[in-house]
Structures are given as C-alpha cells and as structure tokens.
C-alpha cells in the first residue's frame, strides 16, 4: 500500500516538473510586440515584383503619407457627365429641356440634421469643372479629399495614416488608396442599411 | 524567437521525423515496385492508361514527406502531381503555388469595430477565394452582432440575417488570429500545422490525421473540420491555389484561414480585406514601420481578444 502512495507521489512530482518546464519554454519566445518594436527599418515593398500596377486610373495625391508619396483612385472618369462646363454655359435652355439638363435625380442627404448642404458649398460657383473649399480655392475632382477634409478632418487624418478607408488590391508595392468618393456618395455619404451578402449557420453549442 | 533557438527547434523536428525515414523510404521503394508490378498487370487488363497514371500518382503522393522536410525539388514534384491529379480526376486546370515566405515580412491584421456594418461581403469573398465547402456551408470568418458595451463575441449573435446595420449594435469579426504562441500548433500530434516565418499558421492537409485536437485547443474557434468530402462547383473553383492555402481539402482534415497565403505572398490583400466595402479591415506588414497596420497600432486604441491567455495573436481590434 505504502509503495503505491510513494509511486503516485513520484508520478505527480514528475508531472509537475514537466508542466513547469513547458511553461518556461513558452515564456522564452519573444512576443509579437517585441518583434514590432525591434523592426524600425523601412521595408522595401516595391521589392515584391508581383504587386504590379493596377488596371484602374490613379493620380498622385497632393498630400504625404508618413513622409512619402501615395496615389489615390481617379474620380473624373467615373462622373458620367463630366466635363460639367459642356452644359454649364451661358447658353439659354428651353424649359422643356430642363428635366434633362438639371440634376433632378440627385438627392442631397449630407449635412447635420435637416440642414442639408447646398450644391455650391462644395461645387465651384463659377467654374463647374471644379470644386471649391470654404476659402474659395478651386479643388480638382480627383483630389476631393482636400475638400472633404475641411469638415471631416479626423477622418482625413485617419485616412492619410491608413486607419480609415482602404488600400486598393495590394498591401505591397506603391501605396494606392481609395478616394473619399470611391466609397461614399458625396451627396449622401452615409452607408445604407441592406441585407447581408450571406449568412452563417448556428454554432454547435 | 531568436534564430538559434529556432534552428535547434527545426533540428529536433527533423530528427524526430527522419528517424522513421529509413523505414519510410524502404516502404516507398517497395510501393513503387508494387505499383509498377500492378501497373503491368492492369495495362494487361481492361483499365485505361489514365487510370494507371492516376494510381501511380496517388501512390507517390501517399509516400511523400511532411512539407517542411521537402526539398524545393520535392515540393515542385508534389505540386506537379497534384495539378495532374486534378486534371485527371475533375478535368480542372489549376495552378498550385509553393511560394516561400518573403523576407522581413510578418503579417498582421486590424479590424475596426466601429466601422464594420455587418454586410458580410468578407465572408462571401472568403468562401469563393478559398474553395470552401458549399455543402456544409463552411466559413472561416464569423461576424457577431453585438450589443454596445460588450466585447466578448459569445454574447453576440453569430447567425443574424436581417437588414444591417441595426441601431445600437456593432459588428465584430472573428477568424484565425495567427497566434505567435499558438495552442493549436502545440496540440497537433503529427506536426501537420505550424507557423511560417512570415507569421501565417498553416496546415499540411496531407499530414493532418483529423484528430481535431487543434480545434479543441484553439480558444478563438478559428479552425474548421471537413466532416465530409468538400464540394465546390467546378465553375466556381478558384484555380489559383497554394499548397498550404486554398488547394482542395479532403474529407477528415482540418482547415482554417491562412490570411489567403496564395494572395498575400504575391503582395495582394487577403480576399476579406479587399472585399470589405467599409474599410474596416486593415492588413499589412508588421515589420514595416511605414505600413498602415503599424499606424493603427501606434495611433489607435487597440485590443486583442483574450490577450490574457498569452497566445499572442496577430489580430487587433480598434475603434475610431
């Protein structure tokens, strides 16, 4: 009987040492945070040869990202009736053609509460091919982030850093990000409610 | 982990697996001889030549090594065999890559819980990209609809299907977190799962015996098991595959998110990050101080799920 107790005691001793040593092994590896803090040299992401140029049109952004340059998706090609100055001339228009020429389909849902923004708060009053900011500076449609950023400066700060918005297709290669208007409709910028793309089966609990 | 420790570790693994290699190589030679013999018999019979080729390839596949012990030549050979087998069996033209990890890359992921709207485009894209079983509706990502103030997905609804987003709720995505100190790797009795140098935890499907210890060990419900033969319609099959990633699995093996190894090692974003319409998913190189993921870690309020377990996941949640 005594022998059994002794051997079981020995067994626990062995088990304990094994468990403790495995704990020690676990603690010895360096953590992700250690590796991140140790990595301070810029990575040559252009070295990944498969991150080729995108098929979409991009423009060089007029801002800097972590000291370097980056590109944004071009916008003007996606505006169906660009250039605006083709219609916005001094020529007189018949009332019956008005429905065709005015932007009756655009619903503005932009602005706080019921105070909707007017067209000319973003669009330039004189030159319709441009936007203009609060100071009256003309802004190209491809660089609309300069306009949006005057109110949404927090979002712009995050967007410049990479915490808002998203990169296009590649994590490597030259930094190409979506423009504000690539995701948000400028006239109704909030995301809509909709049905999810798919669903998940219940968890087996 | 320091390099010398790693090397030692690798040596140990090699030792363990190589001990059997004499027996293994003997068996392999024996099997090839047997295959050749039977091939002779079979061609004498009424079975077509294609069938013989398939049998031969399957024999050789059966006696291949663990992926980590293969030389580059052996890796190329097995990839060529798998491509040929897919052609014979399903008349599918696939490409299987065995692209090695890139130098100075450690993949990391950040998920913005204040931006996600629960649209589930990520789940849809993941299923298509990774050739997930349509029959059992396997999904690597699960989105939970959560009440504000909660941070534990078990309190959320993981099977919602209604118009989203719902007022007063937020959405939290869970998938494999690619832990640096992953419990699933320790649990595996056949060393069929391991962490690659670029941080991705992968599975060698041919060495998995389907014991599901890793499934039990994972505190994040990150792993999925193939209870049946996975079914993917041929026209929906993603033909750009990786040996450790989205190549077709078999019945009785584990699978899980691989950060889309077939894409990310080519410089592309994972399918979920590319599909997300809200920009909630940030992916990048943790070892690059100029990457977006590093910006998030430095400037945003971040947390990791169940960090107290010491699993050291490379997946952060953040808020605006």
């Amino acid at each position: 009987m005594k022998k059994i107790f002794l051997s079981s005691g020995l067994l626990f001793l062995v088990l304990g040492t094994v468990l403790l040593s495995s704990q020690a092994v676990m603690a010895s590896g360096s953590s992700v945070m250690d590796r991140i803090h140790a990595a301070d040299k810029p990575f040559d992401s252009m070295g990944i040869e498969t991150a080729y140029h995108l098929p979409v049109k991009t423009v060089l952004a007029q801002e800097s990202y972590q000291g370097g340059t980056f590109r944004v998706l071009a916008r003007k090609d996606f505006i169906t009736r660009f250039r605006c100055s083709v219609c916005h001339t001094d020529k007189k228009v018949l009332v019956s053609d008005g429905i065709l020429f005015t932007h009756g389909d655009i619903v503005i849902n932009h602005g706080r509460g019921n105070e909707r923004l007017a067209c000319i708060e973003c669009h330039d009053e004189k030159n319709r091919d441009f936007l203009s900011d609060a100071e009256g500076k003309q802004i190209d449609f491809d660089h609309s982030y300069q306009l949006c950023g005057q109110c949404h400066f927090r979002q712009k700060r995050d967007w410049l850093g990479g915490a808002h918005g998203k990169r296009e297709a590649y994590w490597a290669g030259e930094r190409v990000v979506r423009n504000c208007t690539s995701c948000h409709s400028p006239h109704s910028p909030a995301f809509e409610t909709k049905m999810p793309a798919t669903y998940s089966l219940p968890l087996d609990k | 982990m320091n390099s010398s420790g790693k090397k030692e570790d690798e040596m140990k693994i090699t030792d363990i697996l190589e001990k059997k290699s004499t027996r293994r190589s003997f068996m392999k030679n024996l099997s090839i001889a047997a295959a050749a013999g039977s091939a002779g018999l079979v061609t004498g019979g009424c079975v077509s030549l294609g069938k013989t080729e398939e049998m031969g390839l399957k024999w050789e596949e059966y006696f291949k090594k663990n992926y980590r012990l293969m030389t580059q030549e052996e890796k190329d050979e097995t990839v060529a065999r798998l491509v040929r087998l897919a052609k014979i069996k399903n008349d599918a033209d696939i490409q299987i890559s065995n692209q090695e990890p890139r130098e100075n890359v450690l993949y990391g992921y950040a998920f913005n819980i204040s931006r996600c709207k629960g649209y589930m485009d990520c789940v849809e894209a993941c299923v298509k990209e990774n050739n997930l079983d349509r029959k059992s509706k396997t999904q690597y990502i699960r989105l939970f609809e959560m009440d504000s103030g909660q941070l534990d997905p078990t309190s959320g609804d993981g099977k919602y299907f209604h118009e989203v987003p719902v007022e007063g709720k937020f959405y939290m995505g869970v998938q494999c977190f690619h832990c640096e100190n992953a419990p699933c790797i320790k649990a595996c009795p056949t060393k069929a799962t391991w962490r690659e140098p670029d941080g991705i935890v992968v599975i060698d499907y041919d060495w998995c015996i389907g014991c599901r210890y890793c499934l039990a060990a994972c505190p994040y419900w990150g792993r999925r098991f193939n209870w049946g033969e996975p079914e993917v319609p041929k026209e929906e099959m993603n033909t750009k595959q990786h040996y450790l990633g989205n190549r077709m699995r078999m019945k009785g093996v584990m699978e899980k998110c691989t950060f889309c190894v077939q894409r990310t090692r080519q410089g592309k974003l994972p399918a979920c990050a590319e599909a997300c319409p809200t920009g909630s998913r940030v992916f990048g190189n943790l070892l690059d101080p100029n990457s977006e993921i590093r910006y998030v870690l430095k400037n945003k309020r971040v947390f990791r799920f169940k960090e107290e377990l010491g699993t050291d996941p490379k997946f952060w949640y953040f808020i605006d």
Side-chain angles (χ1 to χ4, degrees):
Chain A
M1 203 62 188
K2 208 178 172 187
K3 213 174 174 183
I4 291 168
F5 275 123
L6 196 76
S7 61
S8 65
L10 254 172
L11 190 76
F12 278 119
L13 199 75
V14 170
L15 252 171
T17 38
V18 166
L19 280 174
L20 275 175
S21 61
S22 71
Q23 283 279 317
V25 165
M26 259 159 68
S28 69
S30 73
S31 71
V32 174
M33 292 320 289
D34 295 340
R35 290 183 69 181
I36 291 173
H37 290 313
D40 48 6
K41 275 193 228 89
F43 172 74
D44 174 31
S45 68
M46 296 304 283
I48 295 183
E49 67 289 345
T50 40
Y52 57 85
H53 286 290
L54 292 158
V56 286
K57 201 176 156 194
T58 60
V59 288
L60 196 67
Q62 293 167 354
E63 309 258 351
S64 75
Y65 162 74
Q66 314 225 20
T69 58
F70 69 102
R71 301 184 80 84
V72 290
L73 298 198
R75 168 73 175 161
K76 278 187 279 202
D77 293 356
F78 295 98
I79 303 174
T80 33
R81 284 189 269 179
F82 198 78
R83 315 181 60 95
C84 313
S85 57
V86 172
C87 297
H88 286 276
T89 55
D90 294 335
K91 248 197 277 174
K92 292 193 168 60
V93 178
L94 286 173
V95 175
S96 53
D97 291 340
I99 189 75
L100 219 114
F101 289 132
T102 56
H103 301 285
D105 55 329
I106 292 175
V107 180
I108 294 185
N109 190 10
H110 191 171
R112 194 159 282 185
N114 288 323
E115 288 181 24
R116 306 277 159 84
L117 295 178
C119 309
I120 56 161
E121 284 185 80
C122 298
H123 291 275
D124 194 276
E125 210 178 338
K126 302 268 159 41
N127 188 349
R128 291 296 157 91
D129 291 335
F130 285 91
L131 302 161
S132 79
D133 66 8
E135 291 170 347
K137 190 184 146 226
Q138 284 191 348
I139 290 168
D140 195 287
F141 277 98
D142 285 342
H143 300 283
S144 53
Y145 51 86
Q146 292 175 331
L147 180 87
C148 308
Q150 58 181 350
C151 297
H152 306 284
F153 49 89
R154 285 190 200 90
Q155 282 81 351
K156 190 184 170 190
R157 184 192 60 205
D158 283 351
W159 175 76
L160 284 173
H164 185 110
K166 61 186 287 182
R167 274 183 81 133
E168 191 67 22
Y170 299 99
W171 64 266
E174 192 177 16
R175 185 179 191 240
V176 178
V177 294
R178 292 206 184 167
N179 220 323
C180 310
T181 46
S182 311
C183 304
H184 300 278
S185 153
H187 302 121
S188 181
F191 279 77
E192 291 165 350
T193 60
K194 63 175 183 188
M195 287 304 281
T198 181
Y199 63 95
S200 302
L201 295 178
L203 290 167
D204 35 43
K205 265 190 195 170
Chain B
M1 202 180 277
N2 56 17
S3 62
S4 67
K6 204 181 212 173
K7 233 173 226 161
E8 242 170 56
D9 211 1
E10 268 166 26
M11 287 288 282
K12 233 184 272 167
I13 295 159
T14 323
D15 280 349
I16 292 164
L17 290 166
E18 286 290 68
K19 256 178 209 163
K20 284 182 186 165
S21 79
T22 45
R23 184 180 154 272
R24 187 169 289 280
S25 56
F26 172 74
M27 287 295 286
K28 187 180 174 181
N29 293 339
L30 196 76
S31 71
I32 290 166
S38 64
L41 281 175
V42 166
T43 39
C46 58
V47 186
S48 69
L49 206 71
K51 202 79 190 163
T52 325
E53 190 191 353
E54 187 184 339
M55 254 165 56
L57 289 172
K58 275 186 176 168
W59 265 114
E60 284 184 43
E61 272 296 287
Y62 196 71
F63 290 100
K64 70 182 176 188
K65 289 184 198 159
N66 183 306
Y67 187 74
R68 273 191 294 176
L69 297 177
M70 288 185 201
T71 60
Q72 189 57 43
E73 202 175 285
E74 286 169 320
K75 285 176 185 174
D76 293 341
E77 277 170 15
T78 180
V79 160
R81 279 198 298 267
L82 289 170
V83 168
R84 181 74 192 130
L85 272 171
K87 180 74 186 163
I88 295 170
K89 271 199 282 191
N90 302 325
D91 194 30
D93 292 302
I94 58 167
Q95 305 159 18
I96 300 183
S97 152
N98 53 19
Q99 168 78 48
E100 294 288 308
R102 306 268 179 182
E103 289 274 322
N104 290 323
V105 174
L106 185 70
Y107 295 114
Y109 210 116
F111 185 99
N112 189 340
I113 50 172
S114 50
R115 288 265 161 233
C116 179
K117 303 256 186 289
Y119 293 149
M120 291 185 86
D121 289 307
C122 49
V123 181
E124 176 106 323
C126 172
V127 168
K128 284 194 181 132
E129 171 67 31
N130 290 301
N131 295 326
L132 297 188
D133 182 24
R134 308 295 202 272
K135 198 173 153 201
S136 67
K137 217 169 161 55
T138 303
Q139 293 166 347
Y140 290 164
I141 305 169
R142 191 175 270 270
L143 288 187
F144 288 92
E145 187 177 78
M146 317 243 295
D147 289 316
S148 47
Q150 296 294 323
L151 280 180
D152 182 2
T154 48
S155 70
D157 178 9
K159 53 182 199 314
Y160 65 88
F161 191 62
H162 47 69
E163 285 224 346
V164 285
V166 174
E167 193 70 35
K169 304 267 188 187
F170 77 96
Y171 299 84
M172 187 168 172
V174 174
Q175 59 202 75
C176 172
F177 291 165
H178 297 272
C179 309
E180 278 288 282
N181 189 15
C184 54
I185 296 174
K186 291 174 200 159
C188 182
T190 59
K191 296 197 189 297
T193 183
W194 67 91
R195 182 164 46 80
E196 290 273 288
D198 56 4
I200 303 178
V201 177
V202 292
I203 303 167
D204 184 344
Y205 306 116
D206 291 313
W207 273 71
C208 175
I209 54 168
C211 68
R212 316 201 302 283
Y213 285 6
C214 54
L215 182 108
C218 177
Y220 304 112
W221 322 287
R223 291 183 166 248
R224 305 286 180 271
F225 186 65
N226 284 295
W227 292 96
E229 196 70 37
E231 285 176 20
V232 180
K234 203 184 143 194
E235 62 280 4
E236 284 179 33
M237 173 92 74
N238 179 7
T239 54
K240 285 195 177 141
Q241 305 178 355
H242 194 284
Y243 190 91
L244 301 171
N246 59 345
R247 74 181 166 105
M248 279 315 291
R249 276 74 60 181
M250 326 72 181
K251 180 180 178 178
V253 301
M254 295 302 306
E255 57 175 305
K256 65 174 196 65
C257 161
T258 57
F259 275 169
C260 286
V261 60
Q262 67 280 0
R263 294 168 65 96
T264 46
R265 284 189 183 166
Q266 307 294 338
K268 282 179 145 188
L269 290 170
C272 50
E274 194 179 319
C276 179
T278 62
S280 308
R281 292 171 172 271
V282 180
F283 180 84
N285 181 4
L286 290 169
L287 302 184
D288 178 9
N290 293 333
S291 64
E292 280 92 352
I293 180 94
R294 284 283 290 267
Y295 178 87
V296 170
L297 295 189
K298 201 172 168 188
N299 296 291
K300 291 295 180 186
R301 276 166 288 179
V302 296
F303 72 92
R304 289 187 281 181
F305 183 37
K306 295 188 186 174
E307 194 168 10
E308 70 279 9
L309 297 179
T311 48
D312 213 5
K314 291 189 283 292
F315 193 104
W316 286 265
Y317 294 97
F318 72 104
I319 48 178
D320 271 343

